[in-house]
Structures are given as C-alpha cells and as structure tokens.
Amino acid sequence: ASSADGTRLVATVTNGLIYTSINSGSSWTSRDIARVWTSVASSADGSNLVATVQSGQIFTSTNAGVNWNARGSAKAWNAVASSADGAVLLASTSGAEVYLSTDSGATWSPTALPAAAWTSVAVCGDGSRLAALYSLGSVYLSTDSGATWFATPGITGSSIGWTDVTISSDGGLVAATAMASPIYVSTQSTMTTPGTAGYLTGARLSAIELEYIGNGQFMPVNRLGSIRAH
C-alpha cells in the first residue's frame, strides 16, 4: 500500500513481517512480528495503517507502522481498505461477512452484505463509497458509507472469478479484475440514493439527459462530462 504521494510504502509477507519505507522503496524497515498477514492499507499521508491476519485479528498503526495495536476478533480476514484519513475501514473475510469500521479500527460491525467468499474491498477518499466483491458472485457497491448495498448491473450472478477491486479517490470510478477475463470498469453514474435524498453533481459544462421510467425513477440516456451520483 502507498501514501498519496508515493513516498511512504507498506508491504506484508505471509508468515513474515511487515515492512515500511519512507523513501519510495529505496530502503525498508521491518515492523511487528511474523504473522500470516493477508492485506494492508494506508491513509493518504501514510501515517494510519491497517493490516489483516488470516485466522487472526486486525492490526492498526497510527505512527506509520512503528507500533501496532490488535483490533477486532480473530477471523478469516483476507482483504482491507482505508479512506484517505484512515477513519473508515472496510475488511472482508473468506466465506463470511464484510466488516466496517468508522473509528479507525477501534470497533467493527458487520455490513448488510451476505456471507460469501469475499476476495477484495475498496473505499473512496472520503469513505462514502465502498466496493466489495466475491469470487463467483457480484461486484457490490455502496454510495452511503455502507448503509445500503447494490449489485453492479450487467455482470452479476456469473462465474467470472473476481479477484480484486479498487475505487478512485472521488468514488467516481470502480475497476475490478477477474481470472482469464478483461478488466471491468464502472463509472457509478447510474444510481443515486433512493428517494429525494439522491442527487447528481458534475463539473462545469457537464450535462445529462434523463428518461422517466416510472415509480419515481429516471434512467440516464446521454451524458457529457463527468457526472457523479449521490
């Protein structure tokens, strides 16, 4: 995992240590002790880190990896993602639930997502947009900080074999990889929060054409520029 400017890096070794770098990888310092590390994520400034351990706990650091604190309970953790400030964290388990923390990992709560063979999670910069996927299922997205989730239309219920997912800092783009398949990209611009709380934003000179399809819902027909759904 990397800080936003690429100078602070953190890497894990399965059945080994955690390593950090403050000079873009020119040199590395070993941290903590040998564990079955499975994933690591970093805040934008590289100071707040989070790492998962297979059949162990989640570990967080607030000083760029110098010290680590055990969090949560022992589970089959396999992936973790962080918001830019390190406050919103999303972690998945293999064959069980996806968990969310909004206090930098101090406490964790299961999301509304079903138990499945989850393989990857992602969090946008401000923590409002989340993504999660499981191997032979769907790519799930949330636009309200994990309160509700929906499956990405068009590629659900398939045996694609999803392996990894990432989301842009502004939450406008989601990309996912799968075994022996192309890379899939979603603009996330087709669904707002249900009801009057949902809205659209866009850069200057952006435009969108909507078609009313009934039941209080509109469908995008054409668009120009960058449009983001909220």
Side-chain angles (χ1 to χ4, degrees):
S2 173
S3 60
D5 63 5
T7 60
R8 292 181 175 270
L9 308 176
V10 56
T12 60
V13 178
T14 301
N15 294 318
L17 305 177
I18 287 182
Y19 291 83
T20 61
S21 172
I22 59 173
N23 51 18
S24 302
S26 295
S27 60
W28 294 81
T29 302
S30 59
R31 306 293 189 183
D32 204 66
I33 64 173
R35 307 180 195 273
V36 188
W37 302 105
T38 54
S39 183
V40 65
S42 172
S43 61
D45 64 4
S47 61
N48 295 313
L49 307 177
V50 56
T52 54
V53 176
Q54 174 67 33
S55 300
Q57 292 178 273
I58 293 177
F59 289 79
T60 61
S61 173
T62 58
N63 54 11
V66 176
N67 303 110
W68 292 84
N69 298 306
R71 306 289 191 180
S73 57
K75 298 181 184 297
W77 302 109
N78 62 359
V80 67
S82 172
S83 60
D85 62 1
V88 179
L89 306 176
L90 192 66
S92 61
T93 59
S94 178
E97 292 81 11
V98 175
Y99 287 79
L100 177 68
S101 173
T102 58
D103 53 14
S104 301
T107 59
W108 293 83
S109 300
T111 65
L113 291 169
W118 300 101
T119 58
S120 183
V121 291
V123 179
C124 77
D126 65 6
S128 63
R129 292 181 172 235
L130 315 175
L133 57 80
Y134 65 93
S135 180
L136 300 180
S138 306
V139 178
Y140 283 86
L141 303 176
S142 173
T143 59
D144 54 10
S145 302
T148 59
W149 295 81
F150 61 92
T152 303
I155 51 176
T156 60
S158 63
S159 56
I160 289 178
W162 298 109
T163 57
D164 205 1
V165 66
T166 188
I167 190 169
S168 61
S169 179
D170 66 359
L173 291 175
V174 177
T177 57
M179 294 183 291
S181 296
I183 295 175
Y184 290 82
V185 179
S186 170
T187 61
Q188 276 206 103
S189 297
T190 58
M191 181 175 291
T192 64
T193 301
T196 57
Y199 62 97
L200 299 172
T201 59
R204 182 175 177 270
L205 302 181
S206 296
I208 188 168
E209 179 184 3
L210 301 176
E211 177 183 350
Y212 183 65
I213 58 177
N215 195 32
Q217 294 182 325
F218 292 81
M219 180 179 67
V221 179
N222 293 296
R223 68 171 183 165
L224 176 66
S226 176
I227 305 292
R228 178 175 172 181
H230 298 266

